[in-house]
Amino acid sequence: MGKSASGKDTIYSRILKDEKLNLKPYVGYTTRPIRAGEQNGVEYFFTTKEDLDNFEASGKLIEYRVYHTVYGDWYYYSVDSENVDLENNDYLYIGTLESYVKMREYYGPEKIVPLYIEVEDGLRLERAINRERQQANPGYAEVCRRFLGDSEDFSEENLAKAGIEKRFDNTELEACIQNVEKEILENRSL
């Protein structure tokens, strides 16, 4: 987890490719529109609000959060899927601080290891703007809303409340990936 444009998507995809880690993707769900370069079922399952309501009605919804964006409400959520087998596999999931807490409550603290990625805010904003420029219709107002929202969502107080102690600085990508991989391997041996 980490603030927007912290590099978590890049780190996530690189770590999933590392055969020695043998991690499976835990793919989340969202109602936001798919971005250029994304694939349904890879970054997210791109769904509707009706799908979320159906998961909730069937008791499979673990957690959700809604963002009131300049484009309307976007929901992000996690589902108890029959594809998740924690007894035989380890998974990697991208989520928010709130989703981490809910997943930890749902699966148990012994099954969930937080990996918090951080980047200095100026560099993070620069990365977010550069990423948005790649979109067919850049939405800079939404970049600003997310940037400011992250300051509140990932405040030091909220990080402490969630028990996040260890952080992984992503100023230099390769060093960050090595540190995250080391953490994963160390937690496997526990």
Side-chain angles (χ1 to χ4, degrees):
M1 72 194 107
K3 296 176 181 176
S4 58
S6 62
K8 58 190 176 296
D9 291 320
T10 300
I11 293 167
Y12 175 86
S13 63
R14 290 275 303 275
I15 287 175
L16 279 178
K17 291 177 185 173
D18 188 328
E19 292 180 9
K20 77 177 176 290
L21 296 175
N22 192 32
L23 295 170
K24 309 281 185 223
Y26 188 111
V27 180
Y29 295 72
T30 186
T31 63
R32 80 153 165 78
I34 193 168
R35 291 180 184 146
E38 290 181 326
Q39 295 178 317
N40 190 38
V42 177
E43 290 81 10
Y44 293 98
F45 289 108
F46 295 93
T47 64
T48 66
K49 175 67 166 68
E50 183 181 7
D51 293 324
L52 182 149
D53 294 339
N54 290 336
F55 284 124
E56 185 172 30
S58 68
K60 293 183 179 255
L61 185 67
I62 297 173
E63 59 83 28
Y64 79 93
R65 56 239 173 259
V66 61
Y67 298 100
H68 307 291
T69 76
V70 297
Y71 304 109
D73 290 346
W74 289 351
Y75 292 83
Y76 289 78
Y77 57 103
S78 306
V79 171
D80 184 3
S81 169
E82 62 277 353
N83 297 327
V84 176
D85 176 8
L86 293 178
E87 297 305 316
N88 296 303
N89 296 301
D90 291 328
Y91 295 84
L92 192 61
Y93 178 62
I94 296 178
T96 64
L97 193 58
E98 180 183 348
S99 66
Y100 159 69
V101 169
K102 295 287 189 182
M103 297 284 271
R104 184 182 64 197
E105 289 170 2
Y106 187 85
Y107 288 113
E110 70 284 355
K111 301 255 185 200
I112 306 292
V113 175
L115 301 167
Y116 179 65
I117 309 299
E118 65 181 3
V119 174
E120 184 272 325
D121 277 346
L123 179 56
R124 191 170 64 79
L125 182 57
E126 184 180 324
R127 289 176 179 178
I129 290 169
N130 288 337
R131 178 176 71 187
E132 197 62 27
R133 281 190 181 117
Q134 307 298 316
Q135 301 303 309
N137 297 305
Y140 298 110
E142 178 57 21
V143 169
C144 293
R145 185 207 60 80
R146 282 197 332 255
F147 185 85
L148 294 172
D150 283 343
S151 295
E152 185 177 324
D153 294 345
F154 289 97
S155 68
E156 289 300 320
E157 179 183 347
N158 287 344
L159 289 168
K161 243 192 281 189
I164 303 299
E165 297 173 1
K166 194 160 194 174
R167 299 163 188 227
F168 299 89
D169 178 74
N170 188 22
T171 302
E172 203 286 298
L173 179 63
E174 296 306 321
C176 184
I177 289 172
Q178 287 177 354
N179 290 330
V180 169
E181 288 178 343
K182 181 180 176 194
E183 180 74 5
I184 291 168
L185 290 170
E186 286 175 1
N187 275 281
R188 273 212 180 127
S189 65
L190 297 178

